């Protein structure tokens, strides 16, 4: 095929599309997620002619690279912490505290997801999904519960500097954090409104429990029931510890505080091994290694630059495609320096690109949170997420145009 300036051929671009459509197609035919990802891996290996030795090496890298292994470990550890909290009814009691403070089922659902979204780990989806399920059972279907948990939990991820993607773009763009946070007010409000209008308003406000007579006491009880999660947040944000280390410290403290017996620990250690979730996540990590081996991501910018489109639209496509293929961090590391060199924009440009990245991450097969939220309903969840993700992209474009960013 034709060779683009960066050396990326038309066929290699087509291969990317084929790999993506293979995964989406298998999900659409209601195949399990692991089969869809395995299909994508097989197609990638064949089309890009990855040698068998390299296949083995790349697969093992998902367990030997700390960046990948830490994801699997954090998923297991958060699940283990969840087992401790469940055994002591802490999550259920926290839900009752929220009912007392707000007396609004909708606020409980969105608020809990937003709070847990402060944890910069895909493993937080485990706790988030549990709380959303408790609050919406009987009112939303499982696939809708998965959507609500994922949608609201990811709103903080689009904005807060507790996440690698935001920190990386702030560093590469030179935009002040205060300016970026101010610029994200409208997109964040739009995200919350879209989620509310689409699903939350279908949930009754009434909680079925008496109104609180002492909200201050309920707030104190909420702190007492969620202190283990708050401890993780403090360790990460204040002391800058890694997620795995923070969760381990919180688990150790919880074992002491809740007086978990050795016989209970033995059962919890086994039950925390969620084979389906861990295996699906492992395959997602392997797929990212396969894509990294092909080298196509680094060649995308020059290939897209040859398109007869306005620069702002070229970069929107670049960030969207790169995020779907490799995740937000890879897309931002590759595209941000190019975008800020080609387009004068400052904070509005960063808001625009972050909106595009966030939209793409909600439909990306490499997005681990989709696996964690509900693997069994992922194929149907894609159909739910795609329309709203398109709306986020439109929101991002409107936010940049209303700030009069030069795009020509």
């Amino acid at each position: 095929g034709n060779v683009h300036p960066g050396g990326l051929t038309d066929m290699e671009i087509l291969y990317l599309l084929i790999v993506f459509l293979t995964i989406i197609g298998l999900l659409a035919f209601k195949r399990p997620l692991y089969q869809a990802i395995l299909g994508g891996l097989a197609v990638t290996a064949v089309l890009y002619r990855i040698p068998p030795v390299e296949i083995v090496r790349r697969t093992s890298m998902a367990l030997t690279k700390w960046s990948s292994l830490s994801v699997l470990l954090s998923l297991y550890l958060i699940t283990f912490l969840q087992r401790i909290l469940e055994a002591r009814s802490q999550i259920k009691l926290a839900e009752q505290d929220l009912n007392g403070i707000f007396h609004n089922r909708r606020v409980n659902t969105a608020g809990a997801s937003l709070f847990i979204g402060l944890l910069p780990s895909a493993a937080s989806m485990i706790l988030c999904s549990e709380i959303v399920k408790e609050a919406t059972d009987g009112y939303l279907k499982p696939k809708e519960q998965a959507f609500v948990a994922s949608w609201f939990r990811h709103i903080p991820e689009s904005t807060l500097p507790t996440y690698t993607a935001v920190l990386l773009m702030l560093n590469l763009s030179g935009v002040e954090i205060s300016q970026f946070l101010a610029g994200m007010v409208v997109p964040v409000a739009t995200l919350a409104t879209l989620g509310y209008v689409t699903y939350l308003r279908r949930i009754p406000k009434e909680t079925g429990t008496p109104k609180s007579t002492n909200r201050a006491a309920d707030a104190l009880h909420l702190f007492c029931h969620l202190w283990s999660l708050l401890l993780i947040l403090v360790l990460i944000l204040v002391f800058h510890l890694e997620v795995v280390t923070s969760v381990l410290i919180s688990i150790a403290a919880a074992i002491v505080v809740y007086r978990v017996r050795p016989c209970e620990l033995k059962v919890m250690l086994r039950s925390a091994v969620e084979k389906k979730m861990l295996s699906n996540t492992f395959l997602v990590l392997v797929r990212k290694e396969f894509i990294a081996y092909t080298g196509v991501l680094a060649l995308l910018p020059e290939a897209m630059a040859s398109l007869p489109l306005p620069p702002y639209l070229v970069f929107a496509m670049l960030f969207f495609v790169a995020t779907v293929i490799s995740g937000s961090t890879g897309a931002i590391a590759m595209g941000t320096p190019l975008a800020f060199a080609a387009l004068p924009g400052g904070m509005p440009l960063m808001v625009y690109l972050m909106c595009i990245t966030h939209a793409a991450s909600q439909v990306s097969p490499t997005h681990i949170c989709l696996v964690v939220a509900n693997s069994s309903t992922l194929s149907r969840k894609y159909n739910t997420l795609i329309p709203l993700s398109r709306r986020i992209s439109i929101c991002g474009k409107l936010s940049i145009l209303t700030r009069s960013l030069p795009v020509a």
Side-chain angles (χ1 to χ4, degrees), residues 160-230:
L160 297 181
T162 54
Y163 286 90
T164 304
V166 176
L167 280 174
L168 184 59
M169 191 179 283
L170 284 168
N171 181 265
L172 293 174
S173 66
V175 174
E176 290 290 331
I177 185 171
S178 56
Q179 292 182 334
F180 172 67
L181 291 174
M184 286 298 291
V185 169
V186 172
V188 164
T190 304
L191 286 171
T193 302
L194 287 172
Y196 178 86
V197 170
T198 308
Y199 285 115
L200 283 193
R201 67 175 179 176
R202 290 165 44 189
I203 305 170
K205 291 182 180 180
E206 295 74 21
T207 61
T209 58
K211 288 187 177 182
S212 173
T213 56
N214 190 338
R215 290 189 176 181
D218 285 330
L220 180 60
H221 291 152
L222 180 64
F223 172 82
C224 293
H225 295 139
L226 295 181
W227 66 265
S228 56
L229 302 184
L230 291 169

Side-chain angles (χ1 to χ4, degrees), residues 52-207:
V53 174
E54 193 62 33
I55 290 174
V56 174
R57 193 175 81 86
R58 290 281 164 175
T59 302
S60 66
M61 284 174 68
L63 291 175
T64 56
K65 280 176 61 177
W66 177 247
S67 59
S68 297
L69 180 59
S70 63
V71 172
L72 296 171
L73 283 174
S74 63
L75 287 174
Y76 172 77
L77 292 172
I78 286 284
T79 307
F80 180 62
L81 177 60
Q82 181 190 358
R83 296 291 185 268
I84 296 175
L85 297 178
E86 286 173 347
R88 299 299 184 266
S89 302
Q90 296 302 293
I91 295 176
K92 190 73 177 176
L93 291 170
E95 185 188 353
Q96 293 173 10
D97 297 332
L98 286 170
N99 288 341
I101 296 170
F102 300 107
H103 204 66
N104 188 315
R105 192 182 295 269
R106 297 174 186 173
V107 173
N108 293 356
T109 304
S113 300
L114 289 168
F115 168 74
I116 293 175
L118 297 175
L119 289 170
S121 168
S124 63
M125 279 303 307
I126 299 167
L127 296 169
C128 189
S129 299
E130 181 67 23
I131 292 176
V132 169
K133 184 177 184 300
E134 289 285 345
T136 60
D137 253 356
Y139 304 105
L140 295 179
K141 298 175 183 177
K143 66 177 181 180
E144 295 168 338
Q145 291 173 335
F147 171 84
V148 169
S150 179
W151 186 265
F152 284 97
R153 181 256 176 232
H154 281 95
I155 291 178
E157 186 170 337
S158 69
T159 307
L160 297 181
T162 54
Y163 286 90
T164 304
V166 176
L167 280 174
L168 184 59
M169 191 179 283
L170 284 168
N171 181 265
L172 293 174
S173 66
V175 174
E176 290 290 331
I177 185 171
S178 56
Q179 292 182 334
F180 172 67
L181 291 174
M184 286 298 291
V185 169
V186 172
V188 164
T190 304
L191 286 171
T193 302
L194 287 172
Y196 178 86
V197 170
T198 308
Y199 285 115
L200 283 193
R201 67 175 179 176
R202 290 165 44 189
I203 305 170
K205 291 182 180 180
E206 295 74 21
T207 61

Side-chain angles (χ1 to χ4, degrees), residues 280-303:
N280 285 341
T281 303
F282 171 73
L283 290 174
V284 168
L285 295 170
V286 172
R287 182 183 177 277
K288 291 181 75 171
E289 293 297 335
F290 275 35
I291 293 296
Y293 170 80
T294 66
V296 296
L297 192 64
L299 301 175
L300 271 178
E302 289 187 65

